[in-house]
Amino acid sequence: MNKQDVLFVNLPPVSPSISDINDPTTADALSPPLGILYLADRIKDCEFINSYGCLDFAVDIFRIASEYDMIESYIGEKLAHAVIETPTVIAVSLMFSSSYEFFKIAIGQIRERWNDAVIMVGGIHASNTVEFLLNTHQSIDYVTCGEGEEAFVEFVEMMAMGTKKDILGVHSHDNLKIVGPNKYEQTNVVQNLDIDYTIYPNLLDMEKYTSETIMFSLSRTTLSIPSFTIMSSRGCPNRCSFCASHTVHGYIPRWRDLQNVVDEIYWLNKAYGVKKIYLIDDNFLPKSKAVELFAVLSNINIKDFEIVIQNMSINAMSHEIIDKIVFAGINNIAYAIETGSKIVQARINKRVNLEKAFDIVRYSQTKGLNVRCFYIIGFPNETLKEMQETIEYAKQLEADWSTFNVAVPIPGTEMYAEFIELGAIEDGPGSWTATSIRDRSFNTKVISGKDIKQLAYKTNLDINFINNVSIKKHDYESAELIFLNFIKSFDFHIFAYDSLRRIYKETGRLQQAKGIVEKMKELMKTNAKAKSFRIYFDLLDDDIRNQLEE
């Protein structure tokens, strides 16, 4: 037996080489690579493993583009200091299509440095581009399609034993298993989702991840609180045309043992002082399991502990579940509405009950929850009138925050195929290069890529900043905390400062308002991202606009 040294590779979610670092719509975020953590958990005690570690490119997302003129130089420096000097197996996580530009640079350098290593690629994007990756990148030896835990254990054992076998869902240059048009043989979905969380520091800089894991939310605590993300379940029964999660995790929800979730939370708190957990499940279904989860979380005894729910289904939500969420001490929640048009709801196979959403959002707010809603504009064949219908719906719904994103086609989704059929994109990397979730690299007959990006971002500014619901309701305390937190992450954001200016003015804190104005003036002179807001200055009131344009 030849014991294996396994090096996992975590890519940044966007490719800094094509990102405009002065574009205010490009928001960097750090989130732990849960998929890699699960793979490492499965192999850690295997007799054929000598060592394992992680080469983490994503951890540097905040500085790559600003500190390196050439991405190649940065990659070379990281490879030279890899935690495993001579890996025998390299497992690259290619989760996002927007990572591909970085990936294609990195994979060549990885192969050049470790020519004798076996390279495997997996993740959501990889699972839906198996043939392309193998045909385009000779550096890659294998691609895993689907959830990788069981297949990866079998694969590394095969490498250790020096044998060759056909592993379900694992593809190679001489064994590409196509089962239909753009469909590839998949691994079995994993039933046991429990994890030994104590391995995290073997792979990640946990001090950095717990201090910089920041997902924007309507949190009532400051961003300085140590945080981490957790999934309590996988699998979503919905068939949304724009989502690729099902291509890896399937349609049937599977849950971790809830005690394993609770134990992880206590460990994160004890080891790293974590007091904020982001729950990032695709969905919390079935309802009975969601009720059980929130009942268990209500018993967590950590001072100032906070849970942020990143996504809940309107159709699956009820007053009972909201009551359980509130009883668990959760104070903010997010609902994925996507579109305010019933016609588009049917077209994208989302079918949110738009009338029920008013009841659920109002009830959530009356129970003390801060509510965030997600919307998408620019679906295939969506008209400008239908996009405007969504914008007007969001204004009427009056969630505490409304996030507007642009429909970006992801390989493996119905929407990707629809955009190809319309002639808006071609199947290939030219369609994968969007730099953010408010950006896409192509035009349609309805609207250009540039115009839809500006429409989505201007709508965000209008609804969330200029006409912020908390400010309109004179809930200045909540609004102030939201925007103070916001500028800690986006210290260039002119509209966030303007919101604080108006809060201070309305509450009689005129000196603080004056200080904010001076800060805004300074940013407009010295900060390139701040200057890029000029195209949206028509939203500002005359007084502050005139001062900033002096």
Side-chain angles (χ1 to χ4, degrees):
M1 180 187 296
N2 181 19
K3 290 193 174 185
Q4 300 293 292
D5 297 291
V6 179
L7 181 64
F8 296 100
V9 178
N10 184 34
L11 303 173
V14 296
S15 299
S17 58
I18 61 168
S19 296
D20 180 357
I21 62 173
N22 295 322
D23 182 351
T25 69
T26 302
D28 296 329
L30 183 64
S31 183
L34 299 185
I36 286 176
L37 297 178
Y38 267 92
L39 290 179
D41 173 59
R42 293 302 192 267
I43 66 168
K44 70 180 191 305
D45 295 325
C46 295
E47 61 178 355
F48 47 81
I49 293 296
N50 181 54
S51 66
Y52 64 90
C54 183
L55 178 60
D56 193 354
F57 290 112
V59 78
D60 298 319
I61 190 171
F62 295 111
R63 68 181 185 90
I64 297 174
S66 60
E67 293 186 16
Y68 289 85
D69 294 330
M70 297 292 290
I71 294 300
E72 290 84 355
S73 300
Y74 161 74
I75 293 172
E77 181 181 309
K78 288 287 285 189
L79 298 184
H81 296 91
V83 64
I84 296 180
E85 187 174 340
T86 310
T88 55
V89 173
I90 299 174
V92 183
S93 175
L94 182 54
M95 289 291 294
F96 308 106
S97 300
S98 51
S99 299
Y100 177 74
E101 286 296 310
F102 185 93
F103 165 83
K104 73 179 185 180
I105 299 171
I107 199 68
Q109 291 189 240
I110 289 171
R111 170 54 73 204
E112 184 177 346
R113 184 171 186 86
W114 294 300
N115 190 51
D116 294 331
V118 174
I119 297 178
M120 170 180 272
V121 182
I124 291 178
H125 180 78
S127 293
N128 290 289
T129 57
V130 176
E131 188 171 9
F132 173 87
L133 291 175
L134 288 171
N135 288 343
T136 306
H137 298 283
Q138 294 303 308
S139 298
I140 300 171
D141 298 300
Y142 297 89
V143 177
T144 300
C145 182
E147 292 183 341
E149 288 96 319
E150 294 176 2
F152 191 64
V153 172
E154 197 173 350
F155 174 79
V156 179
E157 182 179 24
M158 179 181 75
M159 292 295 105
M161 301 305 295
T163 58
K164 192 171 180 65
K165 60 189 295 190
D166 185 12
I167 301 172
L168 187 68
V170 175
H171 304 260
S172 63
H173 295 280
D174 60 359
N175 191 21
L176 179 63
K177 294 168 280 188
I178 300 174
V179 296
N182 295 316
K183 299 288 184 183
Y184 312 98
E185 181 187 272
Q186 286 192 300
T187 61
N188 289 320
V189 294
V190 178
Q191 298 302 321
N192 179 11
L193 300 182
D194 293 350
I195 189 168
D196 177 6
Y197 38 79
T198 63
I199 68 163
Y200 293 176
N202 297 346
L203 296 137
L204 305 180
D205 181 346
M206 286 297 291
E207 294 294 344
K208 192 171 183 67
Y209 271 95
T210 55
S211 64
E212 295 185 13
T213 290
I214 298 171
M215 296 182 175
F216 174 70
S217 68
L218 302 178
S219 175
R220 293 179 181 174
T221 57
T222 68
L223 291 182
S224 59
I225 291 179
S227 309
F228 206 71
T229 62
I230 282 180
M231 287 187 77
S232 57
S233 66
R234 293 183 196 170
C236 175
N238 297 325
R239 263 66 170 179
C240 303
S241 68
F242 52 87
C243 181
S245 178
H246 70 275
T247 62
V248 170
H249 298 310
Y251 293 113
I252 300 174
R254 292 150 291 133
W255 285 74
R256 292 169 63 181
D257 185 300
L258 296 186
Q259 188 59 51
N260 185 245
V261 175
V262 171
D263 290 345
E264 180 178 353
I265 291 172
Y266 277 115
W267 177 81
L268 287 166
N269 173 257
K270 183 177 180 180
Y272 300 100
V274 168
K275 291 191 175 184
K276 181 184 293 184
I277 292 294
Y278 296 96
L279 278 176
I280 60 169
D281 299 37
D282 284 330
N283 241 313
F284 294 86
L285 295 171
K287 293 181 184 180
S288 58
K289 198 67 180 182
V291 169
E292 184 183 351
L293 169 68
F294 297 124
V296 168
L297 294 178
S298 69
N299 294 320
I300 289 180
N301 184 23
I302 296 174
K303 185 179 180 182
D304 300 323
F305 179 64
E306 181 178 15
I307 296 171
V308 178
I309 300 175
Q310 290 296 98
N311 181 37
M312 289 292 286
S313 166
I314 287 290
N315 291 356
M317 186 54 73
S318 66
H319 288 194
E320 178 194 9
I321 295 177
I322 293 170
D323 291 342
K324 294 289 185 182
I325 288 170
V326 173
F327 187 70
I330 297 169
N331 56 44
N332 58 87
I333 194 168
Y335 297 115
I337 306 289
E338 316 306 9
T339 174
S341 164
K342 290 184 179 180
I343 293 174
V344 179
Q345 283 284 349
R347 195 181 297 152
I348 65 174
N349 216 21
K350 180 77 177 181
R351 304 183 191 279
V352 169
N353 185 327
L354 296 175
E355 289 77 22
K356 181 181 179 182
F358 278 93
D359 172 64
I360 292 300
V361 168
R362 295 289 181 273
Y363 187 76
S364 298
Q365 290 171 325
T366 60
K367 301 298 286 189
L369 290 169
N370 282 336
V371 177
R372 182 185 185 189
C373 289
F374 292 103
Y375 301 92
I376 300 173
I377 59 173
F379 291 110
N381 294 313
E382 185 178 17
T383 65
L384 291 174
K385 182 180 178 181
E386 288 166 338
M387 294 181 207
Q388 192 59 42
E389 192 176 348
T390 293
I391 293 169
E392 293 304 316
Y393 178 88
K395 291 178 179 179
Q396 294 172 23
L397 189 62
E398 287 195 317
D400 298 289
W401 198 273
S402 300
T403 297
F404 280 79
N405 297 318
V406 173
V408 178
I410 300 170
T413 66
E414 290 181 29
M415 186 170 74
Y416 186 77
E418 289 169 350
F419 273 123
I420 291 174
E421 187 176 342
L422 289 170
I425 64 173
E426 294 182 356
D427 184 12
S431 305
W432 307 338
T433 54
T435 58
S436 78
I437 54 177
R438 297 200 186 101
D439 190 14
R440 67 188 186 196
S441 56
F442 61 92
N443 304 324
T444 68
K445 293 179 180 179
V446 175
I447 191 169
S448 70
K450 177 182 177 182
D451 287 345
I452 196 168
K453 175 182 178 178
Q454 290 188 0
L455 176 59
Y457 198 64
K458 189 169 187 175
T459 302
N460 275 293
L461 295 176
D462 181 21
I463 293 178
N464 298 314
F465 297 85
I466 300 302
N467 292 292
N468 178 266
V469 169
S470 295
I471 294 178
K472 286 170 64 177
K473 292 179 178 178
H474 307 295
D475 184 3
Y476 297 118
E477 183 178 354
S478 294
E480 182 179 4
L481 181 57
I482 288 170
F483 291 114
L484 285 174
N485 277 340
F486 198 93
I487 61 175
K488 286 179 181 177
S489 293
F490 312 106
D491 59 0
F492 57 84
H493 206 291
I494 291 296
F495 280 77
Y497 283 107
D498 180 63
S499 299
L500 285 172
R501 175 190 68 88
R502 290 182 287 121
I503 291 167
Y504 294 148
K505 184 178 178 180
E506 290 296 321
T507 54
R509 290 175 282 175
L510 301 184
Q511 282 299 115
Q512 285 177 273
K514 184 178 179 180
I516 290 292
V517 172
E518 294 305 312
K519 176 66 175 178
M520 293 169 73
K521 288 181 177 180
E522 177 190 352
L523 286 170
M524 289 305 297
K525 291 178 181 178
T526 61
N527 188 286
K529 279 194 173 184
K531 291 177 184 178
S532 65
F533 280 105
R534 285 190 185 279
I535 62 174
Y536 305 110
F537 271 16
D538 60 301
L539 293 172
L540 298 171
D541 62 53
D542 292 341
D543 178 40
I544 189 62
R545 184 171 64 250
N546 291 336
Q547 291 187 67
L548 295 179
E549 292 180 340
E550 289 177 355

